[in-house]
Amino acid sequence: PSAQFPGPPSVTVDIPDGWSPVRVPGTLLAARRNDTGGRFAPNVVVRGFTRSGDFTIGRALAELKAYVEDRSDGEMDAPFTLEIESIPFVGVNVSWTDQAVGDVVQAHLFAGARRGQVVDLLQVTGSVGGEQVDVEYESLQQLMQTVRITR
């Protein structure tokens, strides 16, 4: 990486005890709960994208909405904003029903930064599913709020 061709932002997440990093192609980082007894493993995935200069978070939300609407019982809540370590994020919760898992709930956080003619987009996705959705969702939100971005 250089000033002319910078690399992706550095991202850290405080992974709690009982979770481990996993390798997922196309991600900056990913982690999941270890011992789930065969149930859906709560997980967090961070992806980075470089998009055209006219790209907006609104467009990212529209792409996500199209994805969710293709799922059984797919729903998308109203977007919200929050700030983590002085970085503004737009967040949204989505859910659907999976035949194998049952209810799946995802929390998405998007942060973008213009760099010349492009936009660097960071997407943090936390997922919970099955019978443990209500129990796991709060701890997933807490984990996602430990995301730190360094540019």
Side-chain angles (χ1 to χ4, degrees), residues 72-150:
S72 175
D73 301 321
E75 293 182 20
M76 183 166 158
D77 293 346
F80 57 90
T81 59
L82 75 150
E83 199 170 280
I84 302 173
E85 294 289 314
S86 302
I87 304 287
F89 284 86
V90 173
V92 67
N93 295 315
V94 300
S95 63
W96 64 86
T97 302
D98 180 271
Q99 285 185 341
V101 174
D103 291 337
V104 175
V105 176
Q106 289 185 333
H108 292 263
L109 299 176
F110 296 92
R114 295 207 177 280
R115 179 174 42 91
Q117 307 251 335
V118 298
V119 172
D120 290 324
L121 178 70
L122 192 77
Q123 180 178 3
V124 182
T125 304
S127 302
V128 294
E131 297 173 4
Q132 301 298 314
V133 166
D134 294 335
V135 174
E136 298 286 0
Y137 183 74
E138 185 176 330
S139 61
L140 182 72
Q141 280 186 316
Q142 292 171 355
L143 177 127
M144 291 177 69
Q145 290 181 25
T146 71
V147 170
R148 301 295 179 264
I149 302 171
T150 308

Coordinates of all heavy atoms in Angstrom, one line a residue, residues 72-150:
S72 N -37.3 -15.9 3.1 CA -38.6 -16.2 3.7 C -38.8 -15.3 4.9 O -38.0 -15.3 5.8 CB -38.7 -17.7 4.1 OG -39.9 -18.0 4.7
D73 N -39.9 -14.6 4.9 CA -40.3 -13.7 6.0 C -39.3 -12.6 6.2 O -39.1 -12.1 7.4 CB -40.5 -14.5 7.4 CG -41.6 -15.6 7.3 OD1 -42.6 -15.3 6.6 OD2 -41.4 -16.6 7.9
G74 N -38.6 -12.2 5.2 CA -37.5 -11.2 5.3 C -38.0 -9.9 5.7 O -39.0 -9.4 5.2
E75 N -37.4 -9.3 6.7 CA -37.8 -7.9 7.2 C -36.5 -7.1 7.5 O -35.5 -7.6 7.9 CB -38.5 -8.0 8.5 CG -39.9 -8.7 8.4 CD -40.6 -8.7 9.7 OE1 -40.3 -7.9 10.6 OE2 -41.6 -9.5 9.8
M76 N -36.6 -5.8 7.3 CA -35.5 -4.9 7.5 C -36.1 -3.7 8.4 O -37.1 -3.1 8.0 CB -35.0 -4.4 6.2 CG -33.8 -3.5 6.4 SD -33.0 -3.2 4.7 CE -32.1 -1.7 5.0
D77 N -35.5 -3.5 9.5 CA -35.9 -2.4 10.4 C -35.4 -1.1 9.8 O -34.6 -1.0 8.9 CB -35.3 -2.6 11.8 CG -35.8 -3.8 12.5 OD1 -36.9 -4.3 12.1 OD2 -35.2 -4.2 13.5
A78 N -35.9 0.0 10.4 CA -35.4 1.3 10.0 C -34.0 1.5 10.4 O -33.5 1.1 11.5 CB -36.3 2.4 10.7
P79 N -33.2 2.1 9.5 CA -31.8 2.4 9.8 C -31.6 3.3 11.0 O -32.5 4.1 11.3 CB -31.2 3.0 8.5 CG -32.2 2.7 7.5 CD -33.5 2.6 8.2
F80 N -30.5 3.2 11.7 CA -30.1 4.1 12.8 C -28.7 4.5 12.7 O -27.9 3.9 11.9 CB -30.4 3.4 14.1 CG -29.6 2.1 14.3 CD1 -28.3 2.1 14.8 CD2 -30.2 0.9 13.9 CE1 -27.6 0.9 15.0 CE2 -29.4 -0.3 14.0 CZ -28.2 -0.3 14.5
T81 N -28.3 5.5 13.4 CA -26.9 6.0 13.4 C -26.3 5.8 14.7 O -27.0 5.9 15.8 CB -26.8 7.5 12.9 OG1 -27.5 8.3 13.8 CG2 -27.3 7.7 11.5
L82 N -25.0 5.6 14.7 CA -24.2 5.6 16.0 C -22.8 5.9 15.7 O -22.4 5.9 14.5 CB -24.3 4.2 16.7 CG -23.5 3.1 16.1 CD1 -23.2 2.1 17.3 CD2 -24.4 2.3 15.1
E83 N -22.1 6.2 16.7 CA -20.6 6.6 16.6 C -19.8 5.6 17.5 O -20.2 5.4 18.6 CB -20.4 8.0 17.0 CG -19.1 8.6 16.5 CD -19.1 10.1 16.7 OE1 -19.7 10.8 15.9 OE2 -18.4 10.5 17.7
I84 N -18.8 5.1 16.9 CA -17.9 4.2 17.7 C -16.5 4.8 17.5 O -16.0 4.8 16.4 CB -18.0 2.7 17.2 CG1 -19.4 2.2 17.3 CG2 -17.0 1.9 18.0 CD1 -19.6 0.8 16.7
E85 N -15.9 5.2 18.6 CA -14.6 5.8 18.6 C -14.4 6.9 17.5 O -13.5 6.9 16.7 CB -13.5 4.7 18.4 CG -13.4 3.7 19.5 CD -12.8 4.3 20.7 OE1 -11.7 5.0 20.6 OE2 -13.3 4.0 21.8
S86 N -15.4 7.8 17.5 CA -15.4 8.9 16.6 C -15.7 8.6 15.1 O -15.6 9.4 14.2 CB -14.1 9.8 16.7 OG -13.9 10.2 18.0
I87 N -16.0 7.4 14.8 CA -16.3 6.9 13.4 C -17.9 6.8 13.3 O -18.5 6.1 14.1 CB -15.7 5.6 13.1 CG1 -14.2 5.6 13.2 CG2 -16.1 5.2 11.7 CD1 -13.4 6.4 12.2
P88 N -18.5 7.6 12.4 CA -19.9 7.4 12.3 C -20.3 6.2 11.5 O -19.7 5.8 10.5 CB -20.3 8.7 11.5 CG -19.1 9.1 10.7 CD -17.9 8.6 11.6
F89 N -21.3 5.5 12.0 CA -21.8 4.3 11.4 C -23.3 4.4 11.1 O -24.0 5.1 11.9 CB -21.7 3.0 12.3 CG -20.3 2.5 12.4 CD1 -19.4 3.0 13.3 CD2 -19.9 1.4 11.5 CE1 -18.1 2.5 13.4 CE2 -18.6 0.9 11.6 CZ -17.7 1.4 12.5
V90 N -23.8 3.8 10.1 CA -25.2 3.6 9.9 C -25.5 2.1 10.1 O -24.8 1.3 9.6 CB -25.7 4.0 8.5 CG1 -27.1 3.7 8.2 CG2 -25.4 5.5 8.2
G91 N -26.5 1.8 11.0 CA -26.8 0.5 11.3 C -28.2 0.1 10.9 O -29.0 1.0 10.7
V92 N -28.4 -1.2 10.7 CA -29.8 -1.7 10.4 C -29.8 -3.2 10.9 O -28.8 -3.9 10.8 CB -30.1 -1.5 8.9 CG1 -29.3 -2.4 8.1 CG2 -31.6 -1.8 8.7
N93 N -31.0 -3.5 11.4 CA -31.2 -4.9 11.8 C -32.1 -5.6 10.7 O -33.1 -4.9 10.2 CB -31.9 -5.0 13.1 CG -31.0 -4.5 14.2 OD1 -29.8 -4.8 14.3 ND2 -31.5 -3.7 15.1
V94 N -31.8 -6.8 10.4 CA -32.6 -7.6 9.4 C -32.9 -8.9 10.0 O -32.2 -9.4 10.9 CB -31.9 -7.7 8.0 CG1 -31.6 -6.3 7.4 CG2 -30.6 -8.5 8.1
S95 N -33.9 -9.6 9.5 CA -34.3 -10.9 9.9 C -35.0 -11.7 8.8 O -35.6 -11.1 7.9 CB -35.1 -10.9 11.2 OG -36.4 -10.2 10.9
W96 N -34.9 -13.0 9.0 CA -35.7 -13.9 8.1 C -35.8 -15.2 8.7 O -35.2 -15.5 9.7 CB -35.1 -13.9 6.7 CG -33.7 -14.6 6.6 CD1 -33.4 -15.9 6.5 CD2 -32.4 -13.9 6.7 NE1 -32.0 -16.1 6.5 CE2 -31.4 -14.9 6.6 CE3 -32.1 -12.5 6.8 CZ2 -30.1 -14.5 6.7 CZ3 -30.7 -12.2 6.8 CH2 -29.7 -13.2 6.8
T97 N -36.5 -16.1 8.1 CA -36.7 -17.5 8.6 C -35.9 -18.4 7.6 O -36.2 -18.4 6.4 CB -38.2 -17.9 8.6 OG1 -38.8 -17.0 9.5 CG2 -38.3 -19.3 9.2
D98 N -35.0 -19.2 8.2 CA -34.3 -20.2 7.4 C -34.9 -21.6 7.7 O -35.1 -21.9 8.9 CB -32.8 -20.1 7.8 CG -32.0 -21.1 7.1 OD1 -31.8 -22.3 7.6 OD2 -31.4 -20.8 6.0
Q99 N -35.1 -22.4 6.7 CA -35.7 -23.7 6.9 C -34.9 -24.6 7.9 O -35.5 -25.3 8.7 CB -35.9 -24.4 5.6 CG -37.0 -23.9 4.7 CD -37.2 -24.7 3.5 OE1 -36.3 -25.5 3.1 NE2 -38.4 -24.6 2.9
A100 N -33.6 -24.5 7.8 CA -32.8 -25.4 8.6 C -32.5 -24.8 10.0 O -32.5 -25.5 11.0 CB -31.4 -25.6 8.0
V101 N -32.4 -23.5 10.1 CA -32.0 -22.8 11.4 C -33.2 -22.3 12.2 O -33.2 -22.3 13.4 CB -31.0 -21.6 11.1 CG1 -30.7 -20.9 12.3 CG2 -29.8 -22.2 10.4
G102 N -34.2 -21.8 11.5 CA -35.3 -21.1 12.1 C -35.0 -19.6 11.9 O -34.6 -19.1 10.9
D103 N -35.3 -18.8 12.9 CA -35.2 -17.3 12.8 C -33.7 -17.0 12.8 O -32.8 -17.5 13.5 CB -35.8 -16.6 14.1 CG -37.3 -16.7 14.1 OD1 -37.9 -16.9 13.0 OD2 -37.8 -16.6 15.2
V104 N -33.3 -16.1 11.8 CA -32.0 -15.5 11.7 C -32.1 -14.0 11.9 O -33.0 -13.4 11.2 CB -31.3 -15.9 10.4 CG1 -30.0 -15.2 10.2 CG2 -31.2 -17.4 10.2
V105 N -31.3 -13.5 12.7 CA -31.3 -12.0 12.9 C -29.8 -11.5 12.7 O -28.9 -12.1 13.2 CB -31.7 -11.6 14.4 CG1 -31.6 -10.1 14.6 CG2 -33.2 -12.1 14.6
Q106 N -29.7 -10.5 11.9 CA -28.4 -9.9 11.6 C -28.5 -8.4 12.0 O -29.4 -7.7 11.7 CB -28.0 -10.0 10.1 CG -27.7 -11.4 9.7 CD -27.2 -11.4 8.3 OE1 -27.5 -10.6 7.5 NE2 -26.3 -12.4 8.0
A107 N -27.4 -8.0 12.5 CA -27.1 -6.5 12.7 C -26.0 -6.1 11.8 O -25.0 -6.8 11.7 CB -26.7 -6.2 14.2
H108 N -26.2 -5.1 11.0 CA -25.3 -4.6 10.1 C -24.8 -3.2 10.5 O -25.7 -2.3 10.8 CB -25.8 -4.5 8.7 CG -26.1 -5.9 8.1 ND1 -25.3 -6.5 7.3 CD2 -27.2 -6.7 8.3 CE1 -25.8 -7.7 6.9 NE2 -27.0 -7.8 7.5
L109 N -23.6 -2.9 10.4 CA -23.0 -1.6 10.6 C -22.2 -1.2 9.4 O -21.3 -2.0 9.0 CB -22.1 -1.5 11.9 CG -22.8 -1.8 13.2 CD1 -21.7 -1.8 14.3 CD2 -23.9 -0.8 13.5
F110 N -22.5 0.0 8.8 CA -21.8 0.5 7.6 C -21.0 1.8 8.0 O -21.6 2.7 8.6 CB -22.7 0.8 6.5 CG -23.5 -0.4 6.0 CD1 -24.7 -0.7 6.5 CD2 -22.9 -1.2 5.0 CE1 -25.4 -1.8 6.0 CE2 -23.6 -2.3 4.5 CZ -24.9 -2.6 5.0
A111 N -19.8 1.9 7.5 CA -19.0 3.1 7.6 C -18.3 3.3 6.3 O -17.8 2.4 5.7 CB -18.0 3.0 8.8
G112 N -18.4 4.6 5.8 CA -17.7 4.9 4.5 C -16.8 6.1 4.6 O -17.0 7.0 5.5
A113 N -15.8 6.1 3.8 CA -14.9 7.3 3.7 C -14.5 7.5 2.3 O -14.2 6.5 1.6 CB -13.7 7.0 4.6
R114 N -14.7 8.7 1.8 CA -14.3 9.1 0.4 C -12.7 9.1 0.4 O -12.1 9.7 1.3 CB -14.9 10.4 0.0 CG -16.3 10.3 -0.1 CD -16.9 11.3 -1.1 NE -18.4 11.2 -1.1 CZ -19.0 10.2 -1.9 NH1 -18.3 9.4 -2.5 NH2 -20.3 10.1 -1.9
R115 N -12.2 8.6 -0.7 CA -10.8 8.7 -1.0 C -10.6 9.0 -2.5 O -10.7 8.1 -3.3 CB -10.1 7.3 -0.6 CG -8.6 7.3 -0.8 CD -8.0 6.0 -0.3 NE -8.7 4.8 -0.5 CZ -8.5 4.0 -1.6 NH1 -7.7 4.3 -2.6 NH2 -9.2 2.9 -1.7
G116 N -10.5 10.3 -2.8 CA -10.4 10.6 -4.2 C -11.6 10.3 -4.9 O -12.7 10.8 -4.5
Q117 N -11.5 9.5 -5.9 CA -12.7 9.2 -6.8 C -13.4 7.9 -6.3 O -14.3 7.4 -7.0 CB -12.1 8.9 -8.2 CG -11.3 10.1 -8.7 CD -12.1 10.9 -9.8 OE1 -12.9 10.4 -10.5 NE2 -11.7 12.1 -9.9
V118 N -13.0 7.4 -5.2 CA -13.7 6.1 -4.7 C -14.2 6.3 -3.3 O -13.8 7.3 -2.6 CB -12.7 4.9 -4.8 CG1 -12.3 4.6 -6.2 CG2 -11.5 5.1 -3.9
V119 N -15.0 5.3 -2.8 CA -15.5 5.3 -1.5 C -15.0 4.0 -0.9 O -15.2 2.9 -1.5 CB -17.0 5.4 -1.4 CG1 -17.5 5.1 0.0 CG2 -17.5 6.7 -1.9
D120 N -14.3 4.0 0.3 CA -14.0 2.8 1.0 C -15.2 2.6 2.0 O -15.5 3.4 2.8 CB -12.7 3.0 1.8 CG -11.5 3.1 1.0 OD1 -11.4 2.4 -0.1 OD2 -10.6 3.9 1.3
L121 N -15.8 1.4 1.8 CA -16.9 1.0 2.6 C -16.5 -0.2 3.5 O -15.9 -1.1 3.1 CB -18.1 0.6 1.7 CG -19.4 0.1 2.4 CD1 -20.0 1.3 3.1 CD2 -20.3 -0.6 1.4
L122 N -16.9 -0.1 4.8 CA -16.7 -1.1 5.7 C -18.0 -1.6 6.2 O -18.9 -0.8 6.5 CB -15.9 -0.6 6.9 CG -15.3 -1.7 7.9 CD1 -14.1 -2.3 7.2 CD2 -15.0 -1.1 9.2
Q123 N -18.2 -2.9 6.2 CA -19.5 -3.5 6.6 C -19.2 -4.6 7.7 O -18.5 -5.5 7.5 CB -20.2 -4.2 5.4 CG -21.6 -4.8 5.8 CD -22.3 -5.4 4.6 OE1 -21.8 -5.4 3.5 NE2 -23.5 -5.9 4.9
V124 N -19.8 -4.3 8.9 CA -19.7 -5.2 10.0 C -21.0 -5.9 10.1 O -22.1 -5.3 10.2 CB -19.3 -4.5 11.3 CG1 -19.2 -5.5 12.4 CG2 -18.1 -3.6 11.1
T125 N -21.0 -7.3 10.1 CA -22.3 -8.0 10.1 C -22.2 -9.0 11.3 O -21.3 -9.8 11.3 CB -22.6 -8.8 8.8 OG1 -22.6 -7.9 7.7 CG2 -23.9 -9.6 8.9
G126 N -23.1 -8.9 12.2 CA -23.3 -9.9 13.3 C -24.5 -10.7 13.0 O -25.6 -10.2 12.7
S127 N -24.4 -12.0 13.2 CA -25.5 -12.9 13.0 C -25.8 -13.9 14.2 O -24.8 -14.4 14.8 CB -25.2 -13.8 11.8 OG -25.0 -13.1 10.6
V128 N -27.1 -14.0 14.5 CA -27.5 -15.0 15.5 C -28.7 -15.7 14.8 O -29.4 -15.2 14.0 CB -27.9 -14.3 16.8 CG1 -26.7 -13.7 17.5 CG2 -29.0 -13.3 16.6
G129 N -28.9 -17.0 15.3 CA -30.0 -17.7 14.7 C -30.5 -18.8 15.6 O -29.9 -19.2 16.6
G130 N -31.6 -19.4 15.3 CA -32.2 -20.5 16.0 C -32.9 -20.1 17.3 O -33.3 -18.9 17.5
E131 N -33.0 -21.0 18.2 CA -33.7 -20.8 19.4 C -33.0 -19.8 20.3 O -33.6 -19.3 21.3 CB -33.8 -22.2 20.2 CG -34.6 -23.2 19.4 CD -34.6 -24.5 20.1 OE1 -34.0 -24.7 21.2 OE2 -35.2 -25.5 19.6
Q132 N -31.7 -19.5 20.1 CA -30.9 -18.7 21.0 C -30.9 -17.2 20.5 O -30.2 -16.4 21.1 CB -29.5 -19.2 21.0 CG -29.3 -20.6 21.6 CD -29.9 -20.7 23.0 OE1 -29.6 -19.9 23.8 NE2 -30.7 -21.7 23.2
V133 N -31.7 -16.8 19.5 CA -31.7 -15.5 19.0 C -31.8 -14.4 20.1 O -31.0 -13.5 20.2 CB -32.8 -15.3 17.9 CG1 -33.0 -13.8 17.6 CG2 -32.5 -16.0 16.7
D134 N -32.8 -14.5 20.9 CA -33.0 -13.5 22.0 C -31.9 -13.4 23.0 O -31.5 -12.4 23.4 CB -34.4 -13.7 22.7 CG -35.6 -13.5 21.8 OD1 -35.4 -12.8 20.8 OD2 -36.6 -14.1 22.1
V135 N -31.4 -14.6 23.3 CA -30.3 -14.6 24.3 C -29.0 -14.1 23.7 O -28.3 -13.4 24.4 CB -30.1 -16.1 24.8 CG1 -28.9 -16.2 25.7 CG2 -31.4 -16.6 25.5
E136 N -28.7 -14.4 22.5 CA -27.4 -14.1 21.9 C -27.4 -12.7 21.3 O -26.3 -12.1 21.2 CB -27.1 -15.1 20.8 CG -26.9 -16.5 21.2 CD -25.6 -16.8 21.9 OE1 -24.8 -15.8 22.1 OE2 -25.4 -17.9 22.4
Y137 N -28.5 -12.1 21.0 CA -28.5 -10.8 20.3 C -27.8 -9.7 21.1 O -27.0 -8.9 20.5 CB -29.9 -10.4 19.9 CG -29.9 -9.2 19.1 CD1 -29.5 -9.2 17.7 CD2 -30.3 -8.0 19.6 CE1 -29.5 -8.0 17.0 CE2 -30.3 -6.8 18.9 CZ -29.9 -6.8 17.6 OH -29.9 -5.7 16.8
E138 N -28.1 -9.6 22.4 CA -27.6 -8.5 23.2 C -26.0 -8.7 23.2 O -25.3 -7.7 23.1 CB -28.1 -8.6 24.6 CG -27.7 -7.4 25.4 CD -28.4 -7.4 26.8 OE1 -29.5 -7.8 26.9 OE2 -27.7 -6.9 27.7
S139 N -25.5 -9.9 23.4 CA -24.0 -10.0 23.5 C -23.4 -9.7 22.2 O -22.3 -9.2 22.1 CB -23.7 -11.4 24.0 OG -24.1 -12.4 23.2
L140 N -24.1 -10.1 21.1 CA -23.6 -9.8 19.7 C -23.5 -8.2 19.5 O -22.5 -7.7 19.0 CB -24.5 -10.4 18.7 CG -24.1 -10.1 17.2 CD1 -22.8 -11.0 16.9 CD2 -25.2 -10.5 16.3
Q141 N -24.5 -7.5 20.0 CA -24.5 -6.0 19.9 C -23.3 -5.5 20.6 O -22.6 -4.6 20.1 CB -25.8 -5.4 20.4 CG -26.9 -5.5 19.4 CD -28.1 -4.7 20.0 OE1 -28.4 -4.8 21.2 NE2 -28.7 -3.9 19.2
Q142 N -23.1 -6.0 21.8 CA -21.9 -5.5 22.6 C -20.6 -5.8 21.9 O -19.7 -4.9 21.9 CB -21.9 -6.2 24.0 CG -23.1 -5.7 24.9 CD -23.2 -6.5 26.2 OE1 -22.5 -7.5 26.4 NE2 -24.2 -6.1 27.0
L143 N -20.5 -7.0 21.3 CA -19.3 -7.3 20.6 C -19.0 -6.4 19.4 O -17.9 -5.9 19.2 CB -19.3 -8.8 20.1 CG -18.2 -9.2 19.3 CD1 -17.6 -10.5 19.9 CD2 -18.6 -9.5 17.9
M144 N -20.1 -6.1 18.7 CA -20.0 -5.3 17.5 C -19.6 -3.8 17.9 O -18.9 -3.2 17.1 CB -21.3 -5.3 16.7 CG -21.6 -6.6 16.0 SD -23.1 -6.7 15.2 CE -22.8 -5.6 13.8
Q145 N -19.9 -3.4 19.0 CA -19.5 -2.0 19.4 C -18.1 -1.9 19.8 O -17.6 -0.8 20.2 CB -20.5 -1.6 20.5 CG -21.9 -1.3 20.0 CD -22.8 -0.8 21.0 OE1 -22.5 -0.2 22.0 NE2 -24.1 -1.0 20.8
T146 N -17.3 -3.0 19.8 CA -15.9 -3.0 20.0 C -15.1 -2.8 18.7 O -13.9 -2.8 18.8 CB -15.4 -4.3 20.8 OG1 -15.4 -5.4 19.9 CG2 -16.2 -4.5 22.0
V147 N -15.8 -2.7 17.6 CA -15.1 -2.5 16.3 C -14.3 -1.2 16.3 O -14.8 -0.1 16.8 CB -16.1 -2.5 15.2 CG1 -15.4 -2.0 13.9 CG2 -16.8 -3.8 15.0
R148 N -13.0 -1.3 15.9 CA -12.2 -0.1 15.8 C -11.6 -0.1 14.4 O -11.0 -1.1 14.0 CB -11.0 -0.2 16.9 CG -11.5 -0.3 18.3 CD -12.2 1.0 18.7 NE -12.7 1.0 20.1 CZ -13.9 0.6 20.5 NH1 -14.8 0.3 19.6 NH2 -14.3 0.6 21.7
I149 N -11.7 1.1 13.8 CA -11.1 1.3 12.5 C -10.0 2.3 12.5 O -10.1 3.4 13.1 CB -12.2 1.9 11.5 CG1 -13.4 0.9 11.5 CG2 -11.7 2.1 10.1 CD1 -14.6 1.5 10.8
T150 N -8.9 1.9 11.9 CA -7.8 2.8 11.7 C -7.5 3.0 10.3 O -7.3 2.1 9.5 CB -6.5 2.3 12.4 OG1 -6.9 1.9 13.8 CG2 -5.4 3.2 12.4

